[in-house]
């Protein structure tokens, strides 16, 4: 398991480094880099599936720590995948905006035709504002998705930590009062997490409805 873990961690670091070259890559080559990054991310997810199987076979005294390490790798690669998708959405928007601008500029307008004499500057500005609004919404949705994924990962971590603390408490023979305090704190953290997720969902709904 250790060999696969370190190999997967190395792949994640390589993807992080390659992500920094996306903005600097020319338009003819950027889609090749995107495809390479997507293939590497898919391979990392395959490694994570194998790691989760190996974690379940670890001894009990090492299983919880191994699971936390794998969960951290999963969180890192999910963040990278979201960042790649956000970059692709922004690139698609830019290319669509440029195509529409070229189409507008290539049209023939006559001074005698009232239907075709459109104020070019105003039309281009409206088109730019519309794309900026869509791009902002895509960025917001991507960030909200990352937040929700992070909250889900924190929930799994809290559940594992809670179970581990109860196991340690049982081994040390702590009093029932202390154990109840631990359980009450875990329940409070759970409600806080759920409340945060609900507020994020409501905020996303309001933004989509307003921009729509």
């Amino acid at each position: 398991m250790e060999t696969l873990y370190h190999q997967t961690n190395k792949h994640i670091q390589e993807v992080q480094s390659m992500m920094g070259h996306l903005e600097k890559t020319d338009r003819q080559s950027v889609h090749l880099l995107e495809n390479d990054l997507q293939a590497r991310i898919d391979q990392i997810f395959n490694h994570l599936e194998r790691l989760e199987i190996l974690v379940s076979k670890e001894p009990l005294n090492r299983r919880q720590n191994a699971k936390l390490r794998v969960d951290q790798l999963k969180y890192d690669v999910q963040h990278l995948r979201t960042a790649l998708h956000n970059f692709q959405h922004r690139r698609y928007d830019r290319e669509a905006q440029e195509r529409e601008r070229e189409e507008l500029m290539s049209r023939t307008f006559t001074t005698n035709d009232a239907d075709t004499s459109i104020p070019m500057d105003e039309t281009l500005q409206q088109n730019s504002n519309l794309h900026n609004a869509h791009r902002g919404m895509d960025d917001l949705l991507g960030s909200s998705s990352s937040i929700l994924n992070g909250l889900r990962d924190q929930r799994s971590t809290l559940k594992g930590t809670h179970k581990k603390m109860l196991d340690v408490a049982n081994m040390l023979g702590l009093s029932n009062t202390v154990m109840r305090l631990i359980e009450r704190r875990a329940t409070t953290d759970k409600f806080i997490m759920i409340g945060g997720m609900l507020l994020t969902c409501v905020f996303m709904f309001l933004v989509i409805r307003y921009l729509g």
Side-chain angles (χ1 to χ4, degrees), residues 42-78:
D42 291 340
Q43 184 182 24
I44 291 172
F45 275 108
N46 290 334
H47 288 177
L48 289 173
E49 290 179 359
R50 293 171 55 192
L51 281 171
E52 288 179 340
I53 295 174
L54 294 175
V55 165
S56 65
K57 298 180 180 179
E58 284 287 299
L60 288 176
N61 59 337
R62 296 170 51 187
R63 186 177 303 169
Q64 184 62 35
N65 183 53
K67 186 177 185 305
L68 290 176
R69 295 168 67 195
V70 173
D71 286 342
Q72 182 61 48
L73 292 181
K74 188 184 300 183
Y75 174 80
D76 291 341
V77 73
Q78 285 173 343

Side-chain angles (χ1 to χ4, degrees), residues 26-38:
D26 58 86
R27 293 180 56 180
Q28 289 74 21
S29 305
V30 67
H31 67 282
L32 298 176
L33 180 56
E34 289 175 352
N35 292 338
D36 187 17
L37 285 169
Q38 186 61 58

Side-chain angles (χ1 to χ4, degrees), residues 2-203:
E2 287 299 318
T3 300
L4 183 58
Y5 171 83
H6 290 296
Q7 182 182 0
T8 305
N9 189 38
K10 180 181 178 181
H11 288 336
I12 291 176
Q13 293 175 358
E14 291 173 351
V15 170
Q16 288 174 335
S17 176
M18 294 173 64
M19 290 285 291
H21 299 295
L22 278 173
E23 297 288 351
K24 304 175 184 178
T25 305
D26 58 86
R27 293 180 56 180
Q28 289 74 21
S29 305
V30 67
H31 67 282
L32 298 176
L33 180 56
E34 289 175 352
N35 292 338
D36 187 17
L37 285 169
Q38 186 61 58
R40 290 172 180 265
I41 290 174
D42 291 340
Q43 184 182 24
I44 291 172
F45 275 108
N46 290 334
H47 288 177
L48 289 173
E49 290 179 359
R50 293 171 55 192
L51 281 171
E52 288 179 340
I53 295 174
L54 294 175
V55 165
S56 65
K57 298 180 180 179
E58 284 287 299
L60 288 176
N61 59 337
R62 296 170 51 187
R63 186 177 303 169
Q64 184 62 35
N65 183 53
K67 186 177 185 305
L68 290 176
R69 295 168 67 195
V70 173
D71 286 342
Q72 182 61 48
L73 292 181
K74 188 184 300 183
Y75 174 80
D76 291 341
V77 73
Q78 285 173 343
H79 177 74
L80 291 174
R81 182 172 63 180
T82 300
L84 177 60
H85 289 172
N86 288 341
F87 173 83
Q88 290 175 321
H89 284 307
R90 292 195 300 271
R91 181 172 66 83
Y92 296 154
D93 285 343
R94 286 197 303 267
E95 293 177 354
Q97 185 176 356
E98 291 174 0
R99 286 195 300 268
E100 292 176 4
R101 183 182 293 112
E102 291 174 357
E103 291 176 0
L104 287 173
M105 297 299 294
S106 64
R107 291 179 184 174
T108 303
F109 298 96
T110 62
T111 56
N112 295 328
D113 191 348
D115 293 333
T116 57
S117 57
I118 333 174
M120 291 294 295
D121 293 338
E122 182 180 351
T123 303
L124 290 175
Q125 183 62 37
Q126 291 176 352
N127 184 55
S128 176
N129 291 339
L130 180 61
H131 279 287
N132 289 337
H134 287 170
R135 183 163 58 250
M137 186 172 65
D138 288 338
D139 292 341
L140 178 61
L141 291 176
S143 300
S144 300
S145 177
S146 298
I147 292 172
L148 289 176
N149 288 333
L151 289 172
R152 282 195 292 265
D153 292 336
Q154 291 177 14
R155 180 186 179 188
S156 299
T157 302
L158 286 172
K159 288 174 64 179
T161 304
H162 176 224
K163 183 177 182 301
K164 188 173 182 180
M165 291 174 65
L166 291 178
D167 292 340
V168 172
N170 287 328
M171 287 189 294
L172 296 177
L174 295 180
S175 66
N176 291 333
T177 302
V178 175
M179 293 178 66
R180 281 197 298 270
L181 288 175
I182 294 173
E183 292 178 351
R184 185 179 305 169
R185 177 59 185 272
T187 302
T188 302
D189 291 342
K190 178 180 179 181
F191 285 132
I192 293 174
M193 181 195 66
I194 293 175
M197 294 176 66
L198 290 176
L199 286 176
T200 302
C201 292
V202 170
F203 180 71

